[in-house]
Amino acid sequence: MSTPMAGVPILRLGSVLVTGLLNELDDKAATAFADELTERIAADEAQGVLIDISRLELIDSFVARMLMELTTMARLLGARVIVAGMRPPVAITLVELGLQLAGVETALNAEQGMASLGWKQNLQLPEEAPRDALR
């Protein structure tokens, strides 16, 4: 795994890349993040990308546009992008700015986003010891 240029970790889970955005992401860091993520999509042949924005309290038009462009670039590279965890103030700001994030799929939280990308959580408990072995 390469070191993220924008300081934002990008993790690989099977064919899915998982990452997130923080409030401290300025325009230069956002551009570096988009470059790094598209490089990773191509290098890892990722089929899906989950971008968790649950820690993002505010959004501006530049970051919103970057999310739309990143989604388009990912689709061109063969990956599906889901933006998860949008907070109500972020949604309100997007509407007030007149930004619709056209083509961007969203999920209420990261778990739902991963499920939409085909990731299945395995909740199997360890098998119990055979009862005969306990006697």
Side-chain angles (χ1 to χ4, degrees):
M1 181 169 82
S2 61
T3 304
M5 293 167 35
V8 178
I10 301 171
L11 308 173
R12 182 179 176 164
L13 297 173
S15 63
V16 176
L17 297 177
V18 180
T19 189
L21 294 181
L22 305 173
N23 272 342
E24 299 82 36
L25 199 66
D26 60 22
D27 292 359
K28 184 177 179 181
T31 302
F33 167 73
D35 291 346
E36 175 71 13
L37 187 55
T38 53
E39 287 177 23
R40 287 287 305 275
I41 290 168
D44 294 349
E45 298 179 2
Q47 294 177 3
V49 178
L50 178 87
I51 302 174
D52 183 354
I53 63 168
S54 61
R55 297 184 75 192
L56 193 65
E57 295 176 13
L58 300 170
I59 193 166
D60 62 20
S61 59
F62 180 83
V63 174
R65 192 176 78 245
M66 188 253 328
L67 279 174
M68 287 189 300
E69 291 173 357
L70 187 55
T71 299
T72 301
M73 288 184 281
R75 279 197 310 249
L76 290 171
L77 293 170
R80 183 174 160 207
V81 176
I82 295 185
V83 175
M86 186 179 301
R87 291 177 173 214
V90 171
I92 290 167
T93 301
L94 290 172
V95 170
E96 288 174 348
L97 290 172
L99 301 172
Q100 298 179 3
L101 294 184
V104 177
E105 290 183 71
T106 59
L108 198 54
N109 56 45
E111 186 176 2
Q112 288 180 5
M114 290 298 287
S116 293
L117 290 170
W119 185 261
K120 293 177 179 62
Q121 186 178 13
N122 188 354
L123 295 176
Q124 291 180 346
L125 298 176
E127 290 187 32
E128 292 182 37
R131 293 187 191 271
D132 291 340
L134 300 174
R135 293 182 187 181

